[in-house]
Amino acid sequence: MTLHPGSGDPHRFGTEAFYAALGRAFVAMCAVVPFLFLIEALDQGLAVGLDATAGIIPKRIDGLDGVFFSPFLHHGFDHLYSNSIPLILLGTFVLAAGARRFLWSTLVIILVSGLGVWFTGSSTSVVVGASGVIFGYLGILLTRGIVERSWWNFAVFLLVGLLYGWQLVGILPTDERISWQGHLFGLLGGVVAAIIFRRRRGDLGGPHRSESTLTMP
């Protein structure tokens, strides 16, 4: 058996490790969405009113805990359906770069997006939904393509931009029913996360031990 240089690097496009990491990330993100549907089904079936009790209520202390809970809640199944596909798609590419970076980056996005909504949103509104996280993942892919000089991440950003670029208007105050603050601060949170948790120069260059050529009978 012959292993070619780079065949064990999950960050190098075209390697077996890369496709394996992408596949595992896709499976993981596909498992997240049914969990969100289960939460929505319980919320509606039991009529517990999670949106009102666990959503973000801007400028109110009792609505601050929604910063952490709101990404898991939605205003009905239509809202959840619209977020599901971009969440799986973008989350897959972000997660494929490493689980630890994914978790820390998601936490930063949730904090920046949620606190941005809490400080700038209307105190008469309740904000829920994963769209802030989705815009955060978009910000990560764009920024990684620049700071890590990764044409792969930038190509994914362009592809997603072609598919969902029209949603970028969501960062502008065009519809009072949509939390443009969550979208805008989510995007900014993704930019911040990509810079903080970027792969360092030493990680980007030079072959690793797993990248050396190995020949076995």
Short mmCIF file of all heavy atoms in Angstrom, two decimals, residues 28-54:
data_model
loop_
_atom_site.label_atom_id
_atom_site.label_comp_id
_atom_site.label_asym_id
_atom_site.label_seq_id
_atom_site.Cartn_x
_atom_site.Cartn_y
_atom_site.Cartn_z
N ALA A 28 -22.77 14.61 10.88
CA ALA A 28 -22.99 15.28 12.17
C ALA A 28 -24.00 16.41 12.04
O ALA A 28 -24.90 16.56 12.88
CB ALA A 28 -21.67 15.81 12.71
N MET A 29 -23.89 17.22 10.98
CA MET A 29 -24.81 18.33 10.80
C MET A 29 -26.22 17.83 10.47
O MET A 29 -27.21 18.45 10.86
CB MET A 29 -24.31 19.27 9.70
CG MET A 29 -23.04 20.04 10.07
SD MET A 29 -23.16 20.95 11.63
CE MET A 29 -24.58 22.00 11.33
N CYS A 30 -26.31 16.72 9.76
CA CYS A 30 -27.63 16.15 9.46
C CYS A 30 -28.30 15.65 10.74
O CYS A 30 -29.53 15.57 10.81
CB CYS A 30 -27.49 14.99 8.47
SG CYS A 30 -27.19 15.50 6.76
N ALA A 31 -27.50 15.32 11.75
CA ALA A 31 -28.06 14.88 13.03
C ALA A 31 -28.54 16.05 13.86
O ALA A 31 -29.39 15.88 14.75
CB ALA A 31 -27.02 14.07 13.80
N VAL A 32 -27.99 17.24 13.61
CA VAL A 32 -28.38 18.42 14.38
C VAL A 32 -29.80 18.86 14.03
O VAL A 32 -30.59 19.22 14.92
CB VAL A 32 -27.38 19.58 14.13
CG1 VAL A 32 -27.91 20.88 14.71
CG2 VAL A 32 -26.03 19.24 14.72
N VAL A 33 -30.13 18.84 12.76
CA VAL A 33 -31.43 19.34 12.32
C VAL A 33 -32.61 18.57 12.91
O VAL A 33 -33.58 19.19 13.37
CB VAL A 33 -31.49 19.37 10.77
CG1 VAL A 33 -32.90 19.69 10.30
CG2 VAL A 33 -30.51 20.41 10.23
N PRO A 34 -32.60 17.23 12.93
CA PRO A 34 -33.71 16.53 13.59
C PRO A 34 -33.85 16.92 15.06
O PRO A 34 -34.98 16.94 15.59
CB PRO A 34 -33.32 15.05 13.45
CG PRO A 34 -32.47 15.01 12.23
CD PRO A 34 -31.69 16.28 12.26
N PHE A 35 -32.74 17.21 15.72
CA PHE A 35 -32.80 17.67 17.10
C PHE A 35 -33.57 18.99 17.20
O PHE A 35 -34.38 19.19 18.12
CB PHE A 35 -31.38 17.83 17.64
CG PHE A 35 -31.31 18.42 19.02
CD1 PHE A 35 -31.74 17.70 20.12
CD2 PHE A 35 -30.79 19.69 19.22
CE1 PHE A 35 -31.68 18.24 21.40
CE2 PHE A 35 -30.72 20.24 20.49
CZ PHE A 35 -31.18 19.51 21.58
N LEU A 36 -33.33 19.89 16.25
CA LEU A 36 -34.06 21.16 16.23
C LEU A 36 -35.55 20.95 15.95
O LEU A 36 -36.40 21.62 16.53
CB LEU A 36 -33.45 22.09 15.17
CG LEU A 36 -31.99 22.50 15.38
CD1 LEU A 36 -31.53 23.42 14.25
CD2 LEU A 36 -31.80 23.19 16.72
N PHE A 37 -35.84 19.99 15.06
CA PHE A 37 -37.25 19.68 14.77
C PHE A 37 -37.93 19.07 15.99
O PHE A 37 -39.11 19.33 16.24
CB PHE A 37 -37.35 18.73 13.58
CG PHE A 37 -37.41 19.42 12.25
CD1 PHE A 37 -36.25 19.65 11.53
CD2 PHE A 37 -38.61 19.85 11.73
CE1 PHE A 37 -36.28 20.30 10.31
CE2 PHE A 37 -38.67 20.49 10.50
CZ PHE A 37 -37.50 20.72 9.79
N LEU A 38 -37.19 18.28 16.76
CA LEU A 38 -37.76 17.69 17.97
C LEU A 38 -38.10 18.78 18.98
O LEU A 38 -39.18 18.74 19.60
CB LEU A 38 -36.75 16.70 18.57
CG LEU A 38 -37.16 16.08 19.92
CD1 LEU A 38 -38.46 15.28 19.76
CD2 LEU A 38 -36.03 15.19 20.45
N ILE A 39 -37.21 19.75 19.13
CA ILE A 39 -37.48 20.87 20.05
C ILE A 39 -38.73 21.63 19.62
O ILE A 39 -39.60 21.95 20.43
CB ILE A 39 -36.27 21.82 20.11
CG1 ILE A 39 -35.08 21.12 20.76
CG2 ILE A 39 -36.63 23.10 20.87
CD1 ILE A 39 -33.82 21.96 20.77
N GLU A 40 -38.84 21.89 18.31
CA GLU A 40 -40.00 22.64 17.81
C GLU A 40 -41.29 21.83 17.98
O GLU A 40 -42.35 22.37 18.32
CB GLU A 40 -39.79 22.99 16.33
CG GLU A 40 -40.88 23.87 15.73
CD GLU A 40 -40.99 25.22 16.42
OE1 GLU A 40 -39.97 25.71 16.96
OE2 GLU A 40 -42.11 25.78 16.43
N ALA A 41 -41.20 20.51 17.75
CA ALA A 41 -42.37 19.65 17.91
C ALA A 41 -42.84 19.63 19.37
O ALA A 41 -44.04 19.69 19.65
CB ALA A 41 -42.07 18.24 17.43
N LEU A 42 -41.89 19.53 20.29
CA LEU A 42 -42.24 19.54 21.71
C LEU A 42 -42.82 20.90 22.12
O LEU A 42 -43.78 20.95 22.90
CB LEU A 42 -41.00 19.23 22.56
CG LEU A 42 -40.46 17.80 22.47
CD1 LEU A 42 -39.16 17.67 23.24
CD2 LEU A 42 -41.50 16.81 23.00
N ASP A 43 -42.24 21.96 21.57
CA ASP A 43 -42.72 23.30 21.90
C ASP A 43 -44.17 23.48 21.46
O ASP A 43 -45.02 24.00 22.22
CB ASP A 43 -41.82 24.34 21.22
CG ASP A 43 -42.19 25.77 21.61
OD1 ASP A 43 -42.77 25.96 22.70
OD2 ASP A 43 -41.91 26.69 20.83
N GLN A 44 -44.47 23.03 20.24
CA GLN A 44 -45.84 23.18 19.73
C GLN A 44 -46.79 22.15 20.31
O GLN A 44 -47.94 22.46 20.65
CB GLN A 44 -45.83 23.09 18.21
CG GLN A 44 -45.10 24.23 17.53
CD GLN A 44 -45.40 24.32 16.05
OE1 GLN A 44 -46.42 23.82 15.57
NE2 GLN A 44 -44.52 24.97 15.30
N GLY A 45 -46.31 20.91 20.47
CA GLY A 45 -47.18 19.84 20.96
C GLY A 45 -47.58 20.03 22.41
O GLY A 45 -48.72 19.75 22.80
N LEU A 46 -46.63 20.49 23.22
CA LEU A 46 -46.90 20.68 24.65
C LEU A 46 -47.35 22.10 24.98
O LEU A 46 -47.72 22.38 26.12
CB LEU A 46 -45.65 20.34 25.47
CG LEU A 46 -45.12 18.90 25.32
CD1 LEU A 46 -43.86 18.72 26.14
CD2 LEU A 46 -46.19 17.89 25.74
N ALA A 47 -47.27 22.98 23.96
CA ALA A 47 -47.68 24.38 24.13
C ALA A 47 -47.00 25.03 25.33
O ALA A 47 -47.64 25.68 26.16
CB ALA A 47 -49.19 24.46 24.28
N VAL A 48 -45.67 24.84 25.41
CA VAL A 48 -44.92 25.39 26.55
C VAL A 48 -44.44 26.81 26.30
O VAL A 48 -43.98 27.48 27.22
CB VAL A 48 -43.72 24.49 26.89
CG1 VAL A 48 -44.20 23.16 27.42
CG2 VAL A 48 -42.81 24.28 25.67
N GLY A 49 -44.54 27.28 25.06
CA GLY A 49 -44.16 28.67 24.77
C GLY A 49 -42.69 28.96 24.96
O GLY A 49 -42.32 29.96 25.57
N LEU A 50 -41.84 28.08 24.41
CA LEU A 50 -40.40 28.26 24.57
C LEU A 50 -39.90 29.56 23.92
O LEU A 50 -38.96 30.17 24.42
CB LEU A 50 -39.65 27.06 23.98
CG LEU A 50 -39.74 25.75 24.77
CD1 LEU A 50 -38.99 24.65 24.03
CD2 LEU A 50 -39.14 25.94 26.16
N ASP A 51 -40.53 29.95 22.82
CA ASP A 51 -40.08 31.16 22.13
C ASP A 51 -40.14 32.36 23.08
O ASP A 51 -39.20 33.16 23.15
CB ASP A 51 -40.96 31.44 20.91
CG ASP A 51 -40.74 30.41 19.81
OD1 ASP A 51 -39.90 29.51 20.01
OD2 ASP A 51 -41.41 30.51 18.77
N ALA A 52 -41.24 32.48 23.79
CA ALA A 52 -41.43 33.64 24.67
C ALA A 52 -40.57 33.57 25.92
O ALA A 52 -40.11 34.59 26.43
CB ALA A 52 -42.90 33.76 25.06
N THR A 53 -40.34 32.34 26.41
CA THR A 53 -39.61 32.20 27.68
C THR A 53 -38.10 32.06 27.49
O THR A 53 -37.34 32.36 28.42
CB THR A 53 -40.12 30.98 28.46
OG1 THR A 53 -39.97 29.80 27.64
CG2 THR A 53 -41.58 31.15 28.83
N ALA A 54 -37.66 31.59 26.32
CA ALA A 54 -36.23 31.34 26.12
C ALA A 54 -35.64 32.10 24.94
O ALA A 54 -34.48 31.91 24.60
CB ALA A 54 -35.98 29.84 25.94
#
